[in-house]
Amino acid sequence: MSDPNNIIEMNNVGIRYGQGPEILSDIKLALPRGSFHFLTGQSGAGKTSLLSLMYLAQKPSRGQISVFNHNLSFANRDQLASLRRRIGVVFQDFRLIEHLSAFDNVALPLRVSGMDEREIRKRVTELLTWVELDAHMQDQTSILSGGEKQRVAIARAVINRPDLLLADEPTGNVDNIIAGKLMKLFVELNKLGTTVVIATHSDKIINDFAYPRLHLQNRGLHIYYPSDMSALGGVHV
Ligand SMILES: Nc1ncnc2c1ncn2[C@@H]1O[C@H](COP(=O)(O)OP(=O)(O)OP(=O)(O)O)[C@@H](O)[C@H]1O
Ligand SMILES: [Mg+2]
């Protein structure tokens, strides 16, 4: 089924929790390599749930998913683990290792990949400085503010230039100036080849960047391209 130019494909996908009703139904989606999409929808529409399928944390209740041209129905644990290493994730609730410093959280993916410690120091320092956390590099993340934790989580997700970046409300805890700067980071990463999906409630961000929008509504997924965004009218995100 899969087109080699697509990083993610979903067909007839449903998601449900336990014995409850489906929260998303008949999802059909193809994300081309190198694309950039926003993911929108009211609170509870299923954005985090859809992202959790994309980062392989959850299986659909039905349908087929392929990620990096691997049909997940046939992937074993080792294959899933190796696919997951190509995905950077910014979780809505950050999921930092709270007893480690900001530096060590961001260094983690590089250490796992076996990079030289001197190179790690250089890259992590550069990125944490860019997100304006140079003064907090050695702070244990448990003491950081919400917006600071969010920036550590973003730095950790992008430090090894993943093939796919999935970010769940990555600018929800920062002011407009920092949000603009973080968006610039995602845009630059995308220009280097990373496929990006960003869940957001921010009208400002969606309006400032002319990327297509995956919109979840009534358990379904609708795609809007920048030229027909006006068709959305007053849809609240
Ligand atoms: N682990 C879970 N167990 C049961 N129900 C869940 C679970 N996670 C999510 N849900 C339900 O699935 C629906 C979609 O939730 P989800 O977190 O995906 O929405 P969202 O679009 O990310 O919302 P928000 O904008 O508030 O983050 C909600 O009705 C939620 O209650
Ligand atoms: Mg969510």
Side-chain angles (χ1 to χ4, degrees):
M1 71 169 187
S2 92
D3 174 340
N5 289 317
N6 289 332
I7 288 273
I8 295 183
E9 284 188 11
M10 295 190 183
N11 274 302
N12 303 317
V13 161
I15 307 181
R16 70 199 299 186
Y17 290 97
Q19 297 306 308
E22 284 190 338
I23 58 137
L24 291 174
S25 292
D26 298 323
I27 300 296
K28 184 172 170 58
L29 164 72
L31 295 187
R33 183 184 307 276
S35 61
F36 195 127
H37 288 83
F38 289 121
L39 175 60
T40 61
Q42 284 188 337
S43 181
K47 301 179 295 297
T48 299
S49 303
L50 187 66
L51 289 175
S52 76
L53 296 187
M54 295 181 182
Y55 60 75
L56 320 176
Q58 210 187 158
K59 291 198 164 179
S61 47
R62 63 188 170 89
Q64 296 85 42
I65 302 181
S66 85
V67 176
F68 304 125
N69 300 110
H70 289 262
N71 184 332
L72 299 187
S73 314
F74 304 114
N76 62 32
R77 277 169 76 106
D78 288 347
Q79 286 166 328
L80 288 178
S82 83
L83 295 176
R84 223 174 257 133
R85 279 195 287 277
R86 300 172 61 184
I87 306 174
V89 186
V90 182
F91 296 96
Q92 195 165 13
D93 53 0
F94 314 138
R95 302 196 197 172
L96 297 171
I97 303 176
E98 297 264 322
H99 67 274
L100 292 183
S101 66
F103 183 96
D104 285 336
N105 268 275
V106 178
L108 206 62
L110 300 180
R111 289 188 173 135
V112 168
S113 73
M115 186 181 281
D116 172 67
E117 215 28 64
R118 208 161 17 156
E119 181 65 19
I120 291 178
R121 182 149 300 277
K122 180 169 159 278
R123 288 199 192 187
V124 173
T125 303
E126 191 178 55
L127 185 54
L128 282 174
T129 302
W130 203 86
V131 296
E132 301 181 20
L133 285 179
D134 34 325
H136 296 283
M137 256 184 302
Q138 297 309 328
D139 289 353
Q140 196 167 307
T141 50
S142 57
I143 67 161
L144 296 179
S145 76
E148 288 164 350
K149 285 182 184 177
Q150 188 152 45
R151 281 175 278 157
V152 176
I154 290 169
R156 181 182 61 180
V158 306
I159 189 76
N160 60 354
R161 286 199 199 157
D163 291 328
L164 173 64
L165 176 73
L166 304 172
D168 201 350
E169 288 282 348
T171 59
N173 294 63
V174 296
D175 60 53
N176 278 344
I177 293 173
I178 298 267
K181 205 165 173 185
L182 293 172
M183 279 303 298
K184 198 170 160 206
L185 182 64
F186 300 140
V187 170
E188 289 303 318
L189 199 68
N190 177 246
K191 284 186 187 155
L192 293 171
T194 296
T195 304
V196 178
V197 180
I198 294 186
T200 184
H201 283 282
S202 166
D203 285 330
K204 171 161 174 47
I205 286 180
I206 293 164
N207 292 332
D208 283 354
F209 296 85
Y211 293 122
R213 171 167 168 185
L214 311 169
H215 186 67
L216 299 178
Q217 195 173 22
N218 300 330
R219 298 188 294 145
L221 182 140
H222 313 267
I223 302 186
Y224 296 97
Y225 294 93
S227 56
D228 53 43
M229 291 294 193
S230 57
L232 268 173
V235 170
H236 174 70
V237 294

